[in-house]
Amino acid sequence: MIQSKKTIAIVATGGTIAGSGRIGESAQYQAGTLSVVSILETIPQINNLAELQVHPFCSKDSNDITHDDLIQLKNFVEEIERDPNVDGIVITHGTDTLEETAFFLNLTLNVHKPVIMTGAMRPATATSADGPMNLYQSVALAANPNAIDLGVLVVIGDTIYSGRDLTKINSIKTDAFEVAAPGPVGYMQDDQVYLIHSPYRRHTHYSQFAHSTYPFDKKVEIFYVHLNCDPDLLRYMLDHYDGVVLAGTGAGNYPSQIKEVIQNYQGDCTIVRSSRLLEGAAFDSPIFDPLQKTIPAHRLSAHKARILLLLGLSNHCSKEQLRQLYKEY
Ligand code: SIN
């Protein structure tokens, strides 16, 4: 029996994958200047994988993605996903903040169909650009029924990552992403999909944030801990923001002067403690936080813990509910 081809919608947001510069060079270029259609023209074999729709969303360097963009992107993707003719969605995105958008969408998209994000480290005009293969493999994964209900996935460099777990660790190599244990969700070989495990934490339609309201009306920032860091800066942040995420040393630790500010703090700002390490984790600490003034971020990085806190505070979660979020997501 001949199976009909799947239909995959490609949502373009910009990034290096759509970047252009001097022909052949990788370093100097402008992100988000080319259309996805021009990249698709360089890989005609992609049309054997699926019928393709292209939906331009924005043409940004991902450093310029805003909270409003995130909410609009969520709504845009959900609208496309509701089209019964669409079987899966691929989102092209800059790699610099890809993990933040991926985590946000993983927490908020009310979808069942595969949503795959991808990007590139070399602009489309570079010698041996990596974007076309990443896009090709993303379309193959989006058309694969085994990618249903796995949350937002990311395909870069022949590897399938969970949108919750991946982190950009390299600013030069095409193999720029990494995940701490238990490792990637799977691998790609050309258009073949090899899945290893499924993400465990709540995502997409299983997430409470897929069924809640927006926009964000809270301000949450990150305080980066280092030796001799300024306690006055932390005091200022606690006075001016609704939430502060500490990117602590080791297991979410900090100098004594910072501990003193936190233990004496009586205001309403919510403080989350994360680790600044790639393989770091922060749990309750009777040594650094004997009065439990902070909420441990467990294995989330500071920038992902910030997104979850923003969602929790914007949805009026209590301190106890916020604590629970970091255990479940
Ligand atoms: C960006 O994040 O938009 C630029 C860098 C990249 O895509 O690799």
Side-chain angles (χ1 to χ4, degrees), residues 1-302:
M1 193 179 77
I2 299 172
Q3 288 208 319
S4 64
K5 268 201 273 181
K6 299 268 170 60
T7 297
I8 303 302
I10 302 175
V11 175
T13 73
T16 295
I17 190 166
S20 62
R22 214 169 320 154
I23 297 299
E25 294 187 5
S26 302
Q28 303 301 329
Y29 64 92
Q30 193 68 43
T33 47
L34 297 175
S35 79
V36 166
V37 173
S38 63
I39 304 168
L40 292 172
E41 281 166 3
T42 68
I43 36 173
Q45 65 278 24
I46 200 168
N47 297 303
N48 299 331
L49 299 177
E51 299 291 342
L52 300 177
Q53 300 177 353
V54 176
H55 299 263
F57 174 77
C58 66
S59 296
K60 286 194 176 191
D61 184 305
S62 75
N63 292 286
D64 292 326
I65 297 280
T66 63
H67 290 166
D68 278 350
D69 289 331
L70 292 182
I71 294 162
Q72 280 175 36
L73 182 59
K74 163 191 157 61
N75 294 335
F76 193 72
V77 170
E78 284 178 352
E79 201 179 311
I80 293 170
E81 200 257 359
R82 282 196 289 270
D83 179 345
N85 299 315
V86 169
D87 298 292
I89 294 162
V90 171
I91 305 171
T92 58
H93 195 285
T95 62
D96 280 352
T97 66
L98 191 148
E99 67 211 64
E100 291 171 68
T101 301
F103 186 50
F104 171 81
L105 293 176
N106 194 54
L107 290 170
T108 62
L109 280 178
N110 188 7
V111 298
H112 292 252
K113 296 173 188 170
V115 175
I116 317 298
M117 293 186 70
T118 194
M121 291 297 289
R122 295 183 184 146
T125 47
T127 302
S128 195
D130 51 330
M133 186 57 155
N134 288 341
L135 186 56
Y136 179 82
Q137 293 188 328
S138 297
V139 167
L141 182 59
N144 191 307
N146 293 327
I148 292 172
D149 239 4
L150 292 183
V152 173
L153 299 174
V154 179
V155 171
I156 303 257
D158 301 307
T159 309
I160 306 166
Y161 299 97
S162 154
R164 176 188 183 273
D165 295 330
L166 87 163
T167 302
K168 185 173 180 178
I169 54 147
N170 197 298
S171 60
I172 301 167
K173 294 184 181 175
T174 51
D175 190 12
F177 285 82
E178 189 54 274
V179 283
V185 173
Y187 295 95
M188 301 288 303
Q189 192 179 44
D190 294 323
D191 59 351
Q192 297 302 303
V193 175
Y194 299 96
L195 294 169
I196 303 169
H197 67 255
S198 55
Y200 174 74
R201 296 295 182 112
R202 288 171 69 183
H203 60 72
T204 56
H205 64 100
Y206 300 109
S207 162
Q208 69 194 78
F209 301 112
H211 311 281
S212 54
T213 50
Y214 299 90
F216 297 132
D217 54 1
K218 302 292 179 194
K219 286 164 75 175
V220 180
E221 292 292 331
I222 295 171
F223 179 82
Y224 196 90
V225 178
H226 52 88
L227 63 82
N228 209 45
C229 52
D230 186 357
D232 285 339
L233 176 59
L234 179 58
R235 271 191 209 96
Y236 174 88
M237 292 175 74
L238 295 176
D239 286 345
H240 287 82
Y241 299 116
D242 303 296
V244 169
V245 178
L246 304 167
T249 59
N253 306 334
Y254 29 69
S256 307
Q257 281 187 310
I258 297 296
K259 175 176 170 180
E260 202 180 303
V261 173
I262 294 168
Q263 299 306 290
N264 291 326
Y265 181 65
Q266 300 292 344
D268 290 332
C269 178
T270 303
I271 311 170
V272 169
R273 252 180 55 248
S274 71
S275 168
R276 64 183 197 180
L277 307 182
L278 174 62
E279 297 256 6
F283 300 104
D284 280 323
S285 166
I287 305 295
F288 283 90
D289 185 19
L291 300 177
Q292 288 211 341
K293 295 275 183 156
T294 68
I295 295 171
H298 296 210
R299 300 211 17 174
L300 291 181
S301 64

Side-chain angles (χ1 to χ4, degrees), residues 201 295-298 305 308-309 322-328:
R201 296 295 182 112
I295 295 171
H298 296 210
L308 188 53
L309 185 54
L322 290 170
R323 240 173 201 283
Q324 192 56 28
L325 290 183
Y326 289 92
K327 294 181 182 160
E328 290 182 21

